[in-house]
Amino acid sequence: MPATKKIAAVTGAGSGIGRAAAVALAQAGFALALIGRRIEPLLETQEIIRSAGGEAQAFPADVGDAASVEHAFSQIEHTFGRLDVLFNNAGRNAGAVPLEDYEVDFWNDVVATNLTGVFLCARAAYRLMKAQSPQGGRIINNGSISAHSPRPHTIAYSATKHAVTGITKSIALDGRAYNIACSQIDIGNAATSITERMNQGVLQADGRMAPEPRMDVSHVANAVAHIAGLPLDANVLNMTIMASAMPFVGRG
């Protein structure tokens, strides 16, 4: 790997926002470490990048499992020698479940992926960025507009996304001494398979079911690539990118 080549890792890289961001980062000149639970989708993303002349390597891992995350980042260090950017993207949707019907196992599963997974990957990247030479790097956490305003009956998802904001701010503070910047991108209604249901209608704060506008996922991917390309003495601490006409401003 050329010394001037920058390395980016993307979690949840097998589909949706993760795949689109990985491709955009490759187009911006990064070599990609692709992280996700299932190898087949990661290999599909890898092939998309390689067929366009980019560099990518798949590293299967469960972001909610500490040993799995540590193993993946150890492999990334062994393969690439360093890490310049982590797009901490992996997460799961939780649907709409009334609070009184929430099961503890369901809550724990959402927390394991959306919160503990973000922490584990950030910790592994932080350790690598702190130890490498030259020191430093950038961690970009995928929050959500639900980090600011919840949808109805989404207490677990909303709680974890609010908590990601705390992780982002803590890393942005603690990373200063080691040239590690941290950003959060809060995304609203990117057009992926997960949001296809919005075409038919989703629950609104007033109890109605209504369709919602979506935006092309490439706009999110390009925003991630823009943040990743900034010098480490500049940071986008928070960015909200959303379908312009979606009910977020004034939600409720």
Side-chain angles (χ1 to χ4, degrees), residues 14-124:
S15 63
I17 290 170
R19 174 175 287 177
V23 171
L25 287 164
Q27 291 171 343
F30 287 86
L32 267 296
L34 308 172
I35 301 172
R37 282 191 299 175
R38 296 187 297 126
I39 185 62
E40 292 82 5
L42 294 180
L43 292 177
E44 291 174 5
T45 304
Q46 177 181 284
E47 178 56 28
I48 291 169
I49 292 172
R50 289 182 176 180
S51 66
E55 299 175 62
Q57 182 69 41
F59 299 91
D62 178 355
V63 300
D65 180 87
S68 182
V69 169
E70 290 301 315
H71 178 68
F73 278 82
S74 175
Q75 287 186 308
I76 290 169
E77 181 180 16
H78 176 76
T79 301
F80 295 108
R82 64 177 292 110
L83 180 63
D84 298 286
V85 172
L86 166 66
F87 180 35
N88 215 353
N89 165 72
R92 58 155 294 176
N93 203 353
V97 180
L99 175 57
E100 66 272 21
D101 296 329
Y102 255 83
E103 298 288 343
V104 173
D105 287 346
F106 182 68
W107 168 273
N108 288 338
D109 188 48
V110 176
V111 170
T113 301
N114 289 3
L115 182 56
T116 303
V118 171
F119 158 72
L120 290 173
C121 292
R123 183 181 68 169

Side-chain angles (χ1 to χ4, degrees), residues 111-203:
V111 170
T113 301
N114 289 3
L115 182 56
T116 303
V118 171
F119 158 72
L120 290 173
C121 292
R123 183 181 68 169
Y126 190 94
R127 285 172 171 170
L128 180 51
M129 291 171 178
K130 180 180 175 180
Q132 66 195 10
S133 181
Q135 190 179 63
R138 184 182 304 276
I139 297 169
I140 305 170
N141 292 323
N142 184 348
S144 168
I145 60 172
S146 289
H148 306 277
S149 182
R151 291 184 179 276
H153 305 314
T154 59
I155 190 169
Y157 186 82
S158 297
T160 56
K161 293 303 184 178
H162 276 69
V164 168
T165 301
I167 289 176
T168 299
K169 291 180 178 179
S170 292
I171 296 172
L173 174 61
D174 297 339
R176 290 176 184 173
Y178 311 109
N179 207 26
I180 299 172
C182 190
S183 306
Q184 181 166 317
I185 183 165
D186 296 318
I187 302 162
N189 291 11
T192 67
S193 60
I194 292 176
T195 61
E196 284 180 1
R197 62 190 174 86
M198 292 179 176
N199 292 325
Q200 283 70 50
V202 290
L203 184 62

